[in-house]
Amino acid sequence: MTKGAKLTETGNTFPHVDYERLMALSSANADAFMKASEAMLKGLAQLNGELVSFTSSRLKEQVEGSQAIAQCSNWSEAFEKQMSMARTATEQYLSEASKLASLATELTMASWAPFETYLKTSVAEQSLHGKKS
């Protein structure tokens, strides 16, 4: 039989429910969820801003590069400009991928932090509550 359960005449058990504690845990859980949601939205907005900024600058550089290639006087010069643009673009894409991965990691950590705090608090309270009983 579970702790706090009472046996009735029919043999069924009814567990004792500490509704005040249940409400406190539910409130703390909802608070953690709200904080995690806020962190997620802020992080997603930051990621979106970074993507928009990067895309805008890459588009501008692509247009400028295309204009520079169009003004070349021979194929060799055009090829060199194209290779330079490709090298620069590749470096920028790799750098941006690293930055986005870092932002995604920060977003994940910030989103999980409220749940981690909630769980640590709950475990500590459970430990204290268990010692009192």
Side-chain angles (χ1 to χ4, degrees), residues 6-28:
K6 296 180 182 176
L7 190 58
T8 64
E9 291 179 22
T10 60
N12 294 329
T13 60
F14 295 102
H16 171 71
V17 178
D18 184 353
Y19 290 105
E20 287 180 22
R21 189 161 177 262
L22 181 62
M23 290 302 293
L25 287 174
S26 294
S27 176

Side-chain angles (χ1 to χ4, degrees), residues 58 83-96:
R58 281 299 312 137
M83 290 301 294
S84 176
M85 284 175 47
R87 187 177 308 108
T88 299
T90 300
E91 289 169 357
Q92 289 174 342
Y93 278 113
L94 290 173
S95 175
E96 185 67 11

Side-chain angles (χ1 to χ4, degrees), residues 34-51:
M34 291 302 293
K35 287 179 181 176
S37 296
E38 289 173 9
M40 178 69 79
L41 288 175
K42 285 179 185 176
L44 288 175
Q46 189 177 7
L47 274 172
N48 187 46
E50 180 61 35
L51 285 169

Side-chain angles (χ1 to χ4, degrees), residues 41-101:
L41 288 175
K42 285 179 185 176
L44 288 175
Q46 189 177 7
L47 274 172
N48 187 46
E50 180 61 35
L51 285 169
V52 168
S53 174
F54 178 76
T55 302
S56 175
S57 74
R58 281 299 312 137
L59 184 60
K60 181 181 175 186
E61 287 182 39
Q62 187 63 36
V63 168
E64 291 170 353
S66 296
Q67 289 172 344
I69 289 173
Q71 294 174 356
C72 290
S73 58
N74 59 52
W75 287 108
S76 179
E77 185 183 353
F79 181 75
E80 287 298 320
K81 285 201 186 281
Q82 179 63 41
M83 290 301 294
S84 176
M85 284 175 47
R87 187 177 308 108
T88 299
T90 300
E91 289 169 357
Q92 289 174 342
Y93 278 113
L94 290 173
S95 175
E96 185 67 11
S98 176
K99 186 184 284 187
L100 291 174

